Amino acid sequence: MSLPEDDLTCPVCCDIFTDPVLLSCSHSFCRICLKRCWETCLRECPVCRKRATKSSPPTNLALKNVCEALLQARSQASAALDEETNCTLHGERLKLFCLVDQQAICVVCQTSKLHKTHDCSPIEEAVLDCKDELALTLKLLQDKVDSLIEIQRTSKDISKYIKNQALETQRLIRSHFEQLRQELCQEESARLAAVKQEEQAKITGMKDKIKELSAEVLSLTETISVIQEQLQEEDMVLLKNFKATQERSESTVLGSDNMSGLLIDVTNHLCNLKYRVWEKMLDHIDYTPVTLDPNTAHPCLILSDSLTSLHYAKQSGGCPDNPERFHISAEVVAMTPLGSGSHHWVVETGSNQDWILGVASLSAPRNAEVSARPENGFWTLCFRDGEFRAMTSPPTPLTLSRTPKQIKVQLDYDKGTVSFLDPADNTSAQFDMWGMG
């Protein structure tokens, strides 16, 4: 355990002990300091004035060793300081800072080939500049740490939100498949009923056919009996009855021997069954070219289960502050980025009196309040305060004869144009994407 420097200081010279001696009163002094004191006064302790019992007090070896260790440490520290503040090549004091090589140099180094053409500044100025730069770096790093701590703090909430998001998505998937199953069950029931109905019709037809055949068999049997009887009669009786017997045999019409079309039309029921069912289901299933991405929606925008419509709520939905989300303005973008070709979709605006719609670039800012203008990555049409405006720079007022309930957005990526049309009369507004971006 090291002692405080006050305990290693001679009371006479007020410096670190040199060859300390120990008096009987337990006070220590440098040997030379004590000798000088005793030359001018009585042989007593300079501190407590107690008479010394010995003319030559013993050396305080323990104190001497501690003091020598302290002096040696001081010497090494001084040498190290000189090494840090002096040039290792020329031994001169480091007074300049090379701005190119970012190192401290002496005046000899400055005139050498290595640094002759380099800009230098005094050490004092360089220290201030470096401190300012390090302070800025420190602030950036601290901001990053604060940001990471904030992310870490909210990670549990995000994990909980992800679980809820997964459960809700699974619920909606089950709901969609349940609807499909119901459609399939209804179609299955209808087709099974059609087979059953045809079966009943065919069986009823066969029963009628059997009755008809039985009646014809009976009629023919009776005619055969009459002819057989006539053949047993006398010749004159046979001749008298021949005409009537012949007419009776000829009047028997055989119409029940046609047996075609009696079976169930299996081909009609099974031909391309899966395809025909799928084709019929498509008539009842809507396809939407634009699906809204809930991960980009402002917290106050509530999306429908089908992700095709939304409404504004004053209270936030409690979604996380992920980077894809619009945090300032109440906006949401579609799920699929468009990078080529021609595309169009129709937006139902209904009776909404405040809306903005169109196309946004992937780089559009989402965590800052900016105008929906081309220079910010937005090509949009706005309806606000009863006025239509194409959000060019500056905005272009539009005069329409009526307020449309639908807006058709048409993007030609290859040509770089965005058009807004009223599907009812094809009234349009158009501006150039690339020329205004």
Side-chain angles (χ1 to χ4, degrees):
M1 182 176 178
S2 60
L3 297 174
E5 285 196 16
D6 291 343
D7 295 337
L8 305 179
T9 302
C10 174
V12 177
C13 65
C14 298
D15 203 351
I16 301 299
F17 285 110
T18 302
D19 190 14
V21 295
L22 179 64
L23 299 182
S24 59
C25 59
S26 300
H27 291 126
S28 296
F29 304 93
C30 296
R31 186 179 295 278
I32 190 171
C33 292
L34 184 63
K35 182 179 179 181
R36 288 173 182 171
C37 289
W38 284 358
E39 287 176 354
T40 57
C41 60
L42 297 175
R43 192 183 300 275
E44 59 184 17
C45 175
V47 175
C48 64
R49 301 302 180 184
K50 183 179 180 179
R51 291 292 297 243
T53 58
K54 297 181 180 180
S55 59
S56 181
T59 300
N60 191 338
L61 291 177
L63 184 60
K64 180 180 180 182
N65 292 336
V66 173
C67 291
E68 288 178 352
L70 175 63
L71 292 175
Q72 184 178 3
R74 281 186 175 182
S75 177
Q76 291 176 351
S78 177
L81 179 63
D82 290 341
E83 185 177 350
E84 289 180 359
T85 58
N86 293 339
C87 178
T88 56
L89 295 177
H90 308 105
E92 297 289 335
R93 193 166 186 81
L94 300 173
K95 295 183 177 181
L96 300 173
F97 186 76
C98 177
L99 301 177
V100 177
D101 294 328
Q102 297 286 296
Q103 67 180 65
I105 60 174
C106 67
V107 291
V108 179
C109 292
Q110 185 188 23
T111 59
S112 67
K113 292 182 179 179
L114 190 60
H115 301 281
K116 189 173 184 179
T117 59
H118 295 174
D119 292 333
C120 300
S121 66
I123 284 290
E124 294 77 8
E125 293 182 8
V127 168
L128 294 176
D129 293 340
C130 290
K131 283 185 177 181
D132 290 341
E133 188 172 345
L134 288 175
L136 178 60
T137 302
L138 180 63
K139 183 179 183 306
L140 293 176
L141 292 175
Q142 188 61 50
D143 290 343
K144 189 171 183 179
V145 169
D146 293 341
S147 176
L148 291 175
I149 291 175
E150 179 65 20
I151 293 174
Q152 186 180 29
R153 186 181 65 82
T154 59
S155 60
K156 290 184 178 179
D157 294 336
I158 294 177
S159 297
K160 184 178 179 180
Y161 183 83
I162 290 172
K163 290 182 179 179
N164 293 335
Q165 201 176 29
L167 290 174
E168 179 64 13
T169 303
Q170 290 172 350
R171 182 189 71 80
L172 292 174
I173 288 174
R174 292 190 185 98
S175 175
H176 287 307
F177 273 90
E178 182 60 31
Q179 293 176 8
L180 291 175
R181 278 191 288 269
Q182 290 178 3
E183 292 284 344
L184 283 173
C185 286
Q186 291 174 4
E187 185 65 21
E188 179 187 17
S189 299
R191 292 183 178 273
L192 291 175
V195 174
K196 187 66 176 177
Q197 184 178 2
E198 185 177 356
E199 176 194 9
Q200 293 174 351
K202 295 292 185 180
I203 290 176
T204 301
M206 280 304 301
K207 288 180 179 179
D208 294 339
K209 191 72 172 177
I210 292 171
K211 288 181 180 179
E212 185 179 349
L213 288 171
S214 298
E216 289 183 0
V217 168
L218 180 60
S219 176
L220 288 173
T221 301
E222 291 176 351
T223 302
I224 291 171
S225 296
V226 170
I227 293 174
Q228 287 176 343
E229 290 176 358
Q230 289 298 318
L231 289 173
Q232 300 297 324
E233 294 289 343
E234 297 290 336
D235 293 343
M236 292 305 296
V237 174
L238 185 146
L239 292 175
K240 284 181 179 182
N241 297 327
F242 175 76
K243 183 177 181 181
T245 303
Q246 191 69 13
E247 287 177 353
R248 178 173 182 172
S249 63
E250 291 177 355
S251 65
T252 304
V253 179
L254 299 179
S256 302
D257 57 348
N258 183 12
M259 302 297 288
S260 63
L262 297 178
L263 301 180
I264 291 178
D265 191 355
V266 177
T267 304
N268 179 53
H269 295 288
L270 295 181
C271 178
N272 294 317
L273 176 60
K274 293 179 182 178
Y275 178 80
R276 287 189 294 151
V277 171
W278 175 252
E279 194 174 38
K280 186 175 180 180
M281 289 185 66
L282 286 178
D283 294 336
H284 303 284
I285 298 174
D286 295 329
Y287 170 77
T288 54
V290 175
T291 303
L292 303 178
D293 185 355
N295 292 338
T296 68
H298 185 273
C300 290
L301 292 181
I302 308 302
L303 274 59
S304 65
D305 290 346
S306 61
L307 304 180
T308 58
S309 63
L310 56 86
H311 68 273
Y312 183 84
K314 293 183 179 180
Q315 190 173 1
S316 172
C319 49
D321 295 335
N322 49 300
E324 302 88 354
R325 192 175 305 281
F326 285 94
H327 301 285
I328 307 300
S329 55
E331 296 171 354
V332 61
V333 297
M335 178 183 64
T336 306
L338 305 175
S340 63
S342 180
H343 311 270
H344 70 272
W345 56 94
V346 176
V347 180
E348 296 277 352
T349 57
S351 59
N352 194 338
Q353 298 297 308
D354 188 349
W355 50 259
I356 186 168
L357 57 90
V359 178
S361 67
L362 285 174
S363 60
R366 307 188 182 192
N367 200 21
E369 187 173 1
V370 297
S371 300
R373 308 279 183 83
E375 62 267 22
N376 296 324
F378 295 92
W379 294 267
T380 57
L381 179 69
C382 177
F383 179 59
R384 184 165 295 163
D385 300 327
E387 296 182 355
F388 287 92
R389 285 172 290 176
M391 298 303 288
T392 54
S393 295
T396 303
L398 303 175
T399 302
L400 302 181
S401 58
R402 65 185 186 86
T403 302
K405 302 298 182 183
Q406 294 180 329
I407 300 293
K408 181 179 180 181
V409 184
Q410 188 160 325
L411 166 67
D412 192 326
Y413 193 93
D414 298 330
K415 291 183 179 179
T417 59
V418 178
S419 304
F420 301 93
L421 303 94
D422 182 354
D425 56 11
N426 283 332
T427 304
S428 65
Q430 175 178 311
F431 53 91
D432 182 13
M433 289 178 66
W434 317 133
M436 308 191 68

PDB file of all heavy atoms in Angstrom, residues 33 56-57 73 89 96 132 137 170 178 194 221 225 256 258 263 266-267 279 282 322 378 415 423:
ATOM      1  N   CYS A  33      19.759  17.385   6.536  1.00  0.00           N
ATOM      2  CA  CYS A  33      18.931  18.432   7.134  1.00  0.00           C
ATOM      3  C   CYS A  33      19.084  18.433   8.653  1.00  0.00           C
ATOM      4  O   CYS A  33      19.155  19.495   9.305  1.00  0.00           O
ATOM      5  CB  CYS A  33      17.479  18.245   6.745  1.00  0.00           C
ATOM      6  SG  CYS A  33      17.142  18.524   4.981  1.00  0.00           S
ATOM      7  N   SER A  56      24.510  10.019  16.389  1.00  0.00           N
ATOM      8  CA  SER A  56      24.383   9.572  14.991  1.00  0.00           C
ATOM      9  C   SER A  56      23.181   8.643  14.894  1.00  0.00           C
ATOM     10  O   SER A  56      23.315   7.419  15.074  1.00  0.00           O
ATOM     11  CB  SER A  56      25.664   8.853  14.557  1.00  0.00           C
ATOM     12  OG  SER A  56      25.542   8.435  13.203  1.00  0.00           O
ATOM     13  N   PRO A  57      21.979   9.209  14.628  1.00  0.00           N
ATOM     14  CA  PRO A  57      20.757   8.386  14.577  1.00  0.00           C
ATOM     15  C   PRO A  57      20.804   7.380  13.417  1.00  0.00           C
ATOM     16  O   PRO A  57      21.460   7.622  12.401  1.00  0.00           O
ATOM     17  CB  PRO A  57      19.633   9.400  14.376  1.00  0.00           C
ATOM     18  CG  PRO A  57      20.293  10.588  13.782  1.00  0.00           C
ATOM     19  CD  PRO A  57      21.691  10.631  14.325  1.00  0.00           C
ATOM     20  N   ALA A  73      10.088   6.238  -9.707  1.00  0.00           N
ATOM     21  CA  ALA A  73       8.853   6.313 -10.491  1.00  0.00           C
ATOM     22  C   ALA A  73       8.692   7.683 -11.128  1.00  0.00           C
ATOM     23  O   ALA A  73       8.271   7.810 -12.279  1.00  0.00           O
ATOM     24  CB  ALA A  73       7.659   5.989  -9.595  1.00  0.00           C
ATOM     25  N   LEU A  89      12.920  11.138 -33.620  1.00  0.00           N
ATOM     26  CA  LEU A  89      13.976  11.176 -34.644  1.00  0.00           C
ATOM     27  C   LEU A  89      15.020  12.236 -34.352  1.00  0.00           C
ATOM     28  O   LEU A  89      16.227  12.010 -34.530  1.00  0.00           O
ATOM     29  CB  LEU A  89      13.359  11.431 -36.024  1.00  0.00           C
ATOM     30  CG  LEU A  89      12.436  10.331 -36.576  1.00  0.00           C
ATOM     31  CD1 LEU A  89      11.841  10.767 -37.912  1.00  0.00           C
ATOM     32  CD2 LEU A  89      13.208   9.034 -36.737  1.00  0.00           C
ATOM     33  N   LEU A  96       4.499  21.106 -33.677  1.00  0.00           N
ATOM     34  CA  LEU A  96       3.611  21.236 -34.831  1.00  0.00           C
ATOM     35  C   LEU A  96       2.796  19.955 -35.023  1.00  0.00           C
ATOM     36  O   LEU A  96       3.169  18.892 -34.518  1.00  0.00           O
ATOM     37  CB  LEU A  96       4.425  21.533 -36.099  1.00  0.00           C
ATOM     38  CG  LEU A  96       5.265  22.813 -36.091  1.00  0.00           C
ATOM     39  CD1 LEU A  96       6.141  22.862 -37.329  1.00  0.00           C
ATOM     40  CD2 LEU A  96       4.374  24.043 -36.003  1.00  0.00           C
ATOM     41  N   ASP A 132     -12.391  19.230 -30.916  1.00  0.00           N
ATOM     42  CA  ASP A 132     -13.699  19.519 -31.515  1.00  0.00           C
ATOM     43  C   ASP A 132     -14.176  18.350 -32.378  1.00  0.00           C
ATOM     44  O   ASP A 132     -15.349  17.948 -32.334  1.00  0.00           O
ATOM     45  CB  ASP A 132     -13.621  20.795 -32.365  1.00  0.00           C
ATOM     46  CG  ASP A 132     -13.442  22.042 -31.511  1.00  0.00           C
ATOM     47  OD1 ASP A 132     -13.731  21.968 -30.302  1.00  0.00           O
ATOM     48  OD2 ASP A 132     -13.011  23.077 -32.056  1.00  0.00           O
ATOM     49  N   THR A 137     -17.455  13.434 -33.049  1.00  0.00           N
ATOM     50  CA  THR A 137     -17.520  11.981 -33.181  1.00  0.00           C
ATOM     51  C   THR A 137     -18.178  11.354 -31.959  1.00  0.00           C
ATOM     52  O   THR A 137     -18.998  10.433 -32.081  1.00  0.00           O
ATOM     53  CB  THR A 137     -16.103  11.405 -33.368  1.00  0.00           C
ATOM     54  OG1 THR A 137     -15.498  11.994 -34.533  1.00  0.00           O
ATOM     55  CG2 THR A 137     -16.154   9.892 -33.539  1.00  0.00           C
ATOM     56  N   GLN A 170     -52.904 -14.727 -39.726  1.00  0.00           N
ATOM     57  CA  GLN A 170     -53.396 -16.111 -39.796  1.00  0.00           C
ATOM     58  C   GLN A 170     -54.918 -16.145 -39.739  1.00  0.00           C
ATOM     59  O   GLN A 170     -55.559 -16.940 -40.444  1.00  0.00           O
ATOM     60  CB  GLN A 170     -52.788 -16.925 -38.655  1.00  0.00           C
ATOM     61  CG  GLN A 170     -51.296 -17.180 -38.818  1.00  0.00           C
ATOM     62  CD  GLN A 170     -50.682 -17.814 -37.584  1.00  0.00           C
ATOM     63  OE1 GLN A 170     -51.313 -17.898 -36.540  1.00  0.00           O
ATOM     64  NE2 GLN A 170     -49.433 -18.251 -37.701  1.00  0.00           N
ATOM     65  N   GLU A 178     -61.922 -19.895 -45.619  1.00  0.00           N
ATOM     66  CA  GLU A 178     -63.257 -20.323 -45.244  1.00  0.00           C
ATOM     67  C   GLU A 178     -64.284 -19.851 -46.270  1.00  0.00           C
ATOM     68  O   GLU A 178     -65.213 -20.582 -46.631  1.00  0.00           O
ATOM     69  CB  GLU A 178     -63.605 -19.787 -43.847  1.00  0.00           C
ATOM     70  CG  GLU A 178     -64.961 -20.217 -43.336  1.00  0.00           C
ATOM     71  CD  GLU A 178     -65.107 -21.720 -43.232  1.00  0.00           C
ATOM     72  OE1 GLU A 178     -64.078 -22.400 -42.972  1.00  0.00           O
ATOM     73  OE2 GLU A 178     -66.231 -22.220 -43.403  1.00  0.00           O
ATOM     74  N   ALA A 194     -77.556 -31.294 -59.188  1.00  0.00           N
ATOM     75  CA  ALA A 194     -77.861 -31.413 -60.621  1.00  0.00           C
ATOM     76  C   ALA A 194     -77.798 -32.874 -61.059  1.00  0.00           C
ATOM     77  O   ALA A 194     -78.640 -33.346 -61.846  1.00  0.00           O
ATOM     78  CB  ALA A 194     -76.889 -30.568 -61.432  1.00  0.00           C
ATOM     79  N   THR A 221     -99.569 -58.952 -78.017  1.00  0.00           N
ATOM     80  CA  THR A 221     -99.975 -60.321 -77.608  1.00  0.00           C
ATOM     81  C   THR A 221    -101.428 -60.589 -77.977  1.00  0.00           C
ATOM     82  O   THR A 221    -101.776 -61.671 -78.471  1.00  0.00           O
ATOM     83  CB  THR A 221     -99.767 -60.480 -76.099  1.00  0.00           C
ATOM     84  OG1 THR A 221     -98.394 -60.258 -75.776  1.00  0.00           O
ATOM     85  CG2 THR A 221    -100.141 -61.899 -75.649  1.00  0.00           C
ATOM     86  N   SER A 225    -102.950 -63.325 -80.679  1.00  0.00           N
ATOM     87  CA  SER A 225    -103.999 -64.298 -80.320  1.00  0.00           C
ATOM     88  C   SER A 225    -105.144 -64.267 -81.337  1.00  0.00           C
ATOM     89  O   SER A 225    -105.681 -65.325 -81.744  1.00  0.00           O
ATOM     90  CB  SER A 225    -104.531 -63.974 -78.919  1.00  0.00           C
ATOM     91  OG  SER A 225    -103.523 -64.131 -77.954  1.00  0.00           O
ATOM     92  N   SER A 256     -91.682 -47.680 -78.877  1.00  0.00           N
ATOM     93  CA  SER A 256     -90.923 -47.738 -77.626  1.00  0.00           C
ATOM     94  C   SER A 256     -89.614 -48.481 -77.758  1.00  0.00           C
ATOM     95  O   SER A 256     -89.009 -48.856 -76.759  1.00  0.00           O
ATOM     96  CB  SER A 256     -91.783 -48.414 -76.546  1.00  0.00           C
ATOM     97  OG  SER A 256     -92.989 -47.723 -76.370  1.00  0.00           O
ATOM     98  N   ASN A 258     -86.912 -47.226 -79.193  1.00  0.00           N
ATOM     99  CA  ASN A 258     -85.783 -46.268 -79.211  1.00  0.00           C
ATOM    100  C   ASN A 258     -85.246 -46.103 -77.795  1.00  0.00           C
ATOM    101  O   ASN A 258     -85.902 -45.515 -76.929  1.00  0.00           O
ATOM    102  CB  ASN A 258     -86.254 -44.925 -79.773  1.00  0.00           C
ATOM    103  CG  ASN A 258     -85.088 -43.923 -79.880  1.00  0.00           C
ATOM    104  OD1 ASN A 258     -83.924 -44.307 -79.738  1.00  0.00           O
ATOM    105  ND2 ASN A 258     -85.416 -42.688 -80.129  1.00  0.00           N
ATOM    106  N   LEU A 263     -79.291 -42.754 -70.432  1.00  0.00           N
ATOM    107  CA  LEU A 263     -78.292 -42.739 -69.363  1.00  0.00           C
ATOM    108  C   LEU A 263     -77.969 -41.301 -68.931  1.00  0.00           C
ATOM    109  O   LEU A 263     -78.205 -40.336 -69.656  1.00  0.00           O
ATOM    110  CB  LEU A 263     -77.025 -43.447 -69.823  1.00  0.00           C
ATOM    111  CG  LEU A 263     -77.182 -44.905 -70.244  1.00  0.00           C
ATOM    112  CD1 LEU A 263     -75.846 -45.476 -70.664  1.00  0.00           C
ATOM    113  CD2 LEU A 263     -77.801 -45.727 -69.121  1.00  0.00           C
ATOM    114  N   VAL A 266     -72.798 -38.132 -68.033  1.00  0.00           N
ATOM    115  CA  VAL A 266     -71.640 -38.013 -67.135  1.00  0.00           C
ATOM    116  C   VAL A 266     -70.654 -36.968 -67.640  1.00  0.00           C
ATOM    117  O   VAL A 266     -70.079 -36.191 -66.867  1.00  0.00           O
ATOM    118  CB  VAL A 266     -70.947 -39.378 -66.969  1.00  0.00           C
ATOM    119  CG1 VAL A 266     -69.698 -39.252 -66.100  1.00  0.00           C
ATOM    120  CG2 VAL A 266     -71.925 -40.394 -66.381  1.00  0.00           C
ATOM    121  N   THR A 267     -70.446 -36.923 -68.945  1.00  0.00           N
ATOM    122  CA  THR A 267     -69.498 -35.967 -69.521  1.00  0.00           C
ATOM    123  C   THR A 267     -69.888 -34.539 -69.193  1.00  0.00           C
ATOM    124  O   THR A 267     -69.033 -33.691 -68.870  1.00  0.00           O
ATOM    125  CB  THR A 267     -69.429 -36.153 -71.048  1.00  0.00           C
ATOM    126  OG1 THR A 267     -69.089 -37.494 -71.331  1.00  0.00           O
ATOM    127  CG2 THR A 267     -68.392 -35.219 -71.649  1.00  0.00           C
ATOM    128  N   GLU A 279     -63.213 -21.180 -62.963  1.00  0.00           N
ATOM    129  CA  GLU A 279     -63.632 -20.075 -63.812  1.00  0.00           C
ATOM    130  C   GLU A 279     -64.885 -19.396 -63.241  1.00  0.00           C
ATOM    131  O   GLU A 279     -64.999 -18.162 -63.256  1.00  0.00           O
ATOM    132  CB  GLU A 279     -63.906 -20.603 -65.230  1.00  0.00           C
ATOM    133  CG  GLU A 279     -64.019 -19.539 -66.291  1.00  0.00           C
ATOM    134  CD  GLU A 279     -64.132 -20.150 -67.670  1.00  0.00           C
ATOM    135  OE1 GLU A 279     -64.807 -21.201 -67.800  1.00  0.00           O
ATOM    136  OE2 GLU A 279     -63.539 -19.596 -68.610  1.00  0.00           O
ATOM    137  N   LEU A 282     -63.989 -17.298 -60.198  1.00  0.00           N
ATOM    138  CA  LEU A 282     -63.345 -16.023 -60.541  1.00  0.00           C
ATOM    139  C   LEU A 282     -64.366 -14.921 -60.759  1.00  0.00           C
ATOM    140  O   LEU A 282     -64.069 -13.740 -60.556  1.00  0.00           O
ATOM    141  CB  LEU A 282     -62.475 -16.193 -61.796  1.00  0.00           C
ATOM    142  CG  LEU A 282     -61.162 -16.958 -61.612  1.00  0.00           C
ATOM    143  CD1 LEU A 282     -60.444 -17.089 -62.940  1.00  0.00           C
ATOM    144  CD2 LEU A 282     -60.267 -16.262 -60.598  1.00  0.00           C
ATOM    145  N   ASN A 322     -41.342   1.564 -37.041  1.00  0.00           N
ATOM    146  CA  ASN A 322     -40.377   0.943 -37.946  1.00  0.00           C
ATOM    147  C   ASN A 322     -39.999   1.926 -39.062  1.00  0.00           C
ATOM    148  O   ASN A 322     -40.756   2.852 -39.385  1.00  0.00           O
ATOM    149  CB  ASN A 322     -40.963  -0.336 -38.551  1.00  0.00           C
ATOM    150  CG  ASN A 322     -42.355  -0.122 -39.107  1.00  0.00           C
ATOM    151  OD1 ASN A 322     -43.261   0.246 -38.391  1.00  0.00           O
ATOM    152  ND2 ASN A 322     -42.524  -0.359 -40.402  1.00  0.00           N
ATOM    153  N   PHE A 378     -42.816  12.591 -54.805  1.00  0.00           N
ATOM    154  CA  PHE A 378     -44.261  12.372 -54.857  1.00  0.00           C
ATOM    155  C   PHE A 378     -44.830  12.968 -56.135  1.00  0.00           C
ATOM    156  O   PHE A 378     -44.483  14.106 -56.499  1.00  0.00           O
ATOM    157  CB  PHE A 378     -44.964  13.026 -53.658  1.00  0.00           C
ATOM    158  CG  PHE A 378     -44.596  12.435 -52.336  1.00  0.00           C
ATOM    159  CD1 PHE A 378     -43.543  12.962 -51.592  1.00  0.00           C
ATOM    160  CD2 PHE A 378     -45.287  11.358 -51.817  1.00  0.00           C
ATOM    161  CE1 PHE A 378     -43.196  12.435 -50.364  1.00  0.00           C
ATOM    162  CE2 PHE A 378     -44.955  10.821 -50.583  1.00  0.00           C
ATOM    163  CZ  PHE A 378     -43.904  11.355 -49.858  1.00  0.00           C
ATOM    164  N   LYS A 415     -42.323   5.942 -70.060  1.00  0.00           N
ATOM    165  CA  LYS A 415     -42.430   7.311 -70.582  1.00  0.00           C
ATOM    166  C   LYS A 415     -42.223   8.354 -69.484  1.00  0.00           C
ATOM    167  O   LYS A 415     -41.988   9.519 -69.777  1.00  0.00           O
ATOM    168  CB  LYS A 415     -43.793   7.518 -71.238  1.00  0.00           C
ATOM    169  CG  LYS A 415     -43.982   6.730 -72.521  1.00  0.00           C
ATOM    170  CD  LYS A 415     -45.339   7.046 -73.134  1.00  0.00           C
ATOM    171  CE  LYS A 415     -45.541   6.286 -74.449  1.00  0.00           C
ATOM    172  NZ  LYS A 415     -46.870   6.563 -75.051  1.00  0.00           N
ATOM    173  N   PRO A 423     -62.980   8.286 -64.531  1.00  0.00           N
ATOM    174  CA  PRO A 423     -63.437   7.196 -65.395  1.00  0.00           C
ATOM    175  C   PRO A 423     -64.775   7.468 -66.067  1.00  0.00           C
ATOM    176  O   PRO A 423     -65.078   6.890 -67.116  1.00  0.00           O
ATOM    177  CB  PRO A 423     -63.547   6.001 -64.431  1.00  0.00           C
ATOM    178  CG  PRO A 423     -62.670   6.359 -63.276  1.00  0.00           C
ATOM    179  CD  PRO A 423     -62.743   7.845 -63.148  1.00  0.00           C
TER     180      PRO A 423
END
